[in-house]
Amino acid sequence: MRRSSDLQPEIADESAWWRDAVFYQVYVRSFADANGDGVGDLDGIRSRLGYLELLGVDALWLTPFFTSPMADHGYDVADPRDVDPLFGDLAAFDRLVTEARAHNLKVTIDLVPNHTSDRHAWFQAALRAGPGSVERDRFIFRDGGGFDGSVPPNNWSSQFGGPAWTRVPDGQWYLHLFAPEQPDLNWDNPEVAADLARTLRFWLDRGVDGFRIDVAHGMAKPYGLPNIDPRVELGAGVMHDNALDPRFDNDGVHEIHRMIRKVIDEYPGRMAVGEVWVADDERYARYLRPDELHLGFNFRLLEAPFDADAVRSAVEHGLGAVRSVGAPATWTLSNHDVPRHVTRYGGGDLGARRARAMALVELALPGVVYLYNGEELGLPDVELPEWALQDPIWLRSGRTLRGRDGCRVPLPWEGDTPPFGFSEAVTTWLPQPNEWAGLTAESQLEDPESMLSFYRHALELRKSQPAFEGDELEWYGAPPGCFAFRRKGGGLICALNTSGGPVPLPPGEILLASGPMDGNQLPPDTAVWLV
Ligand code: NOJ
């Protein structure tokens, strides 16, 4: 794998493989179904490893496949050290890791330390044991307010809508920052940390190369669980500011990350990336200090509209934030929680053109890239019928917010009709649209103009060309609505045009363009790489 020339010697070795890797997020339910039940599984992933190797990614991130009642599609974990039968078993996981290695792919998995499932043995024991018990102390149980205890202990809301507290039959309330089926763990209880360490070692011993840590800015709660100031408008966004919202990014979280890092450091070459939705650059960077997480998602790029100034600002924030701590920046345009970027950028041909342009921008940046399965096929979000919606957000919002199912529809692999080779089943867990016949992997592999061929080409260049070296950028002057930057080490130039008309290209020889060029002009909604 290519290494940046200006890395410090101690990190410029193979054990730091993740510093410029391209990860591919496999949303396990929707990638490939081997056992014909309409839901993706571990053997399904194994059957498509050749495709992933051909695509040219370095590592996989598998979303949760652990034992779960699936109230939040696996992010409600009942046993973090076993595989849910829906997805396979431990032997299937071991086969996947072994074969992935043969395809030169690293395997990283999700870890959900903020909460468990309400069916986890600990939570069931806590319900039975009653107020004041050691069993309840593993979660966040409190008495309610008001003369009869019927008022929730504080005014916090759940990320999925409604209050963050649910009352149990004996009158106490428990905290859940997500669905009621996802009780928050009490990280002040040492048993919780000890159990996570056991889970980490369990999977590290089975050969995983790293973890994606769910809600990495959660876990620690502030002393006394103070109310959110009622004058504060939290809005719909998920980027957090602890000064306004005490639910997330509390200082105590860093001790938890140091504990996690200590365990991972026992296993050379393994890593962790955190889901860190923290607005302030300096507070975000704290998660990436040398004894905490290796990587943290930069969600500013994903939140930026298709506008050169907004994208440049996201890039500058992303690079600036990590500079002080020596961590690589970690870029992503889509994941299983947000509308796909083809749709965000306008949908249809326009959205697809812009998505290609933004893929070139992202893959030109120093650091790490996370792709979301299906973006290499140019998949848009699907406007699902109401009967098909399954995300807990749909019901918890009183059927006002449709939730995240639109970006989670199973992938189209081959053929002309659903399920497009995803499954042997006639019905898949979310329905695929007939129009995806033109977007199957099979149809795109042979077409040199397809989104898939474009991704393969871009990934190949990113991996093989010295132009991509160096951790810093310099920005050129550019017309309004455009930007151009140059990688300081290797010299790659990337130009983006989000304005309404063509603009002159910067000097250089074209390495790859996201769409047809217009002489020596860069057309609108297009990006280009030059050397
Ligand atoms: C973030 C995950 O990405 C999301 O899918 C999940 O619902 C929440 N964390 C709760 O675990």
Side-chain angles (χ1 to χ4, degrees):
M1 194 179 299
R2 184 180 52 77
R3 293 260 72 90
S4 293
S5 54
D6 50 358
L7 292 180
Q8 298 147 22
E10 70 271 24
I11 52 180
D13 61 41
E14 269 310 299
S15 68
W17 58 270
W18 38 269
R19 287 190 73 94
D20 62 359
V22 176
F23 287 76
Y24 183 94
Q25 179 189 353
V26 176
Y27 191 68
V28 177
R29 295 183 78 82
S30 297
F31 189 68
D33 170 24
N35 70 354
D37 63 359
V39 180
D41 47 42
L42 298 177
D43 278 338
I45 302 169
R46 194 164 56 86
S47 73
R48 299 288 181 182
L49 289 172
Y51 167 84
L52 294 166
E53 189 178 12
L54 201 70
L55 176 61
V57 296
D58 303 305
L60 310 181
W61 152 28
L62 311 183
T63 54
F65 49 80
F66 318 111
T67 314
S68 165
M70 307 288 166
D72 185 21
H73 293 138
Y75 283 97
D76 48 320
V77 181
D79 181 352
R81 296 182 285 272
D82 206 350
V83 174
D84 195 279
L86 191 63
F87 300 127
D89 53 20
L90 284 168
F93 180 77
D94 293 342
R95 284 195 296 274
L96 174 58
V97 172
T98 307
E99 285 193 31
R101 202 161 285 142
H103 286 271
N104 282 320
L105 292 163
K106 310 267 187 199
V107 177
T108 70
I109 65 172
D110 230 306
L111 202 68
V112 190
N114 180 70
H115 44 265
T116 65
S117 157
D118 61 346
R119 306 290 171 78
H120 189 291
W122 275 7
F123 193 73
Q124 290 296 313
L127 290 179
R128 286 193 301 271
S133 59
V134 290
E135 288 85 353
R136 284 221 171 162
D137 189 52
R138 295 172 181 141
F139 297 90
I140 303 178
F141 278 88
R142 294 287 185 276
D143 293 327
F147 70 95
D148 59 353
S150 64
V151 178
N154 72 15
N155 68 357
W156 292 5
S157 54
S158 138
Q159 284 291 97
F160 292 164
W165 296 92
T166 290
R167 204 169 187 194
V168 298
D170 59 42
Q172 276 207 313
W173 298 76
Y174 68 90
L175 179 72
H176 51 87
L177 293 182
F178 296 89
E181 295 87 352
Q182 293 166 295
D184 277 48
L185 285 159
N186 171 19
W187 272 90
D188 290 333
N189 182 331
E191 272 190 88
V192 171
D195 192 68
L196 186 75
R198 204 179 141 205
T199 301
L200 286 163
R201 290 200 179 90
F202 178 87
W203 294 107
L204 288 163
D205 289 338
R206 290 199 109 85
V208 304
D209 296 289
F211 301 94
R212 176 267 189 186
I213 300 190
D214 189 62
V215 204
H217 58 314
M219 300 181 277
K221 305 295 185 293
Y223 181 73
L225 305 180
N227 276 327
I228 299 173
D229 184 333
R231 290 164 304 183
V232 169
E233 283 272 341
L234 286 181
V238 280
M239 201 64 111
H240 288 285
D241 179 349
N242 178 265
L244 303 177
D245 179 357
R247 294 173 304 168
F248 296 95
D249 189 30
N250 289 288
D251 289 342
V253 75
H254 298 290
E255 193 186 322
I256 300 169
H257 285 298
R258 283 192 283 271
M259 179 287 282
I260 294 173
R261 179 63 180 255
K262 270 205 187 104
V263 176
I264 294 179
D265 279 350
E266 293 167 15
Y267 297 77
R270 321 290 177 96
M271 51 72 66
V273 60
E275 185 199 23
V276 186
W277 287 96
V278 171
D280 180 74
D281 286 348
E282 190 274 322
R283 291 193 67 90
Y284 160 84
R286 292 185 196 184
Y287 289 80
L288 302 171
R289 289 176 289 199
D291 58 350
E292 299 195 35
L293 290 163
H294 301 77
L295 303 173
F297 285 107
N298 176 305
F299 290 117
R300 285 177 185 270
L301 193 63
L302 172 155
E303 292 206 319
F306 187 75
D307 168 78
D309 290 345
V311 174
R312 174 171 173 169
S313 164
V315 169
E316 287 181 323
H317 272 284
L319 291 175
V322 295
R323 202 169 285 130
S324 62
V325 282
T330 302
W331 313 103
T332 191
L333 292 173
S334 282
N335 64 34
H336 64 294
D337 291 330
V338 296
R340 286 182 175 277
H341 53 276
V342 165
T343 301
R344 293 204 313 270
Y345 298 149
D349 287 348
L350 177 71
R353 273 203 308 282
R354 292 176 168 178
R356 278 182 187 240
M358 283 302 296
L360 274 201
V361 171
E362 183 185 41
L363 290 167
L365 294 171
V368 180
V369 172
Y370 274 78
L371 306 178
Y372 176 49
N373 60 194
E375 75 168 80
E376 78 280 15
L377 303 176
L379 298 187
D381 256 39
V382 178
E383 196 51 42
L384 290 160
E386 288 186 359
W387 59 260
L389 297 179
Q390 304 201 18
D391 188 342
I393 291 177
W394 170 240
L395 286 186
R396 283 193 62 80
S397 68
R399 298 189 162 84
T400 55
L401 300 173
R402 299 176 70 83
R404 303 159 293 180
D405 294 320
C407 68
R408 298 175 173 181
V409 171
L411 260 55
W413 290 97
E414 61 228 358
D416 300 323
T417 49
F420 299 117
F422 164 76
S423 172
E424 302 271 293
V426 182
T427 314
T428 52
W429 78 278
L430 288 173
Q432 299 160 305
N434 293 325
E435 307 84 75
W436 279 12
L439 293 176
T440 61
E442 181 188 50
S443 68
Q444 296 198 41
L445 270 174
E446 298 304 316
D447 173 5
E449 302 302 319
S450 69
M451 183 74 95
L452 179 56
S453 298
F454 170 72
Y455 264 79
R456 287 179 63 197
H457 194 178
L459 290 169
E460 163 65 26
L461 291 171
R462 185 183 187 276
K463 190 170 286 188
S464 59
Q465 298 282 319
F468 290 78
E469 286 183 3
D471 288 343
E472 293 293 338
L473 302 181
E474 60 188 345
W475 296 88
Y476 291 172
C482 302
F483 67 57
F485 62 76
R486 182 177 167 278
R487 292 279 291 261
K488 272 192 185 166
L492 177 84
I493 296 163
C494 177
L496 171 72
N497 182 359
T498 66
S499 77
V503 296
L505 274 175
E509 192 184 315
I510 294 181
L511 199 58
L512 185 61
S514 69
M517 284 291 116
D518 178 6
N520 58 355
Q521 301 272 301
L522 179 63
D525 303 315
T526 307
V528 67
W529 287 348
L530 305 135
V531 281

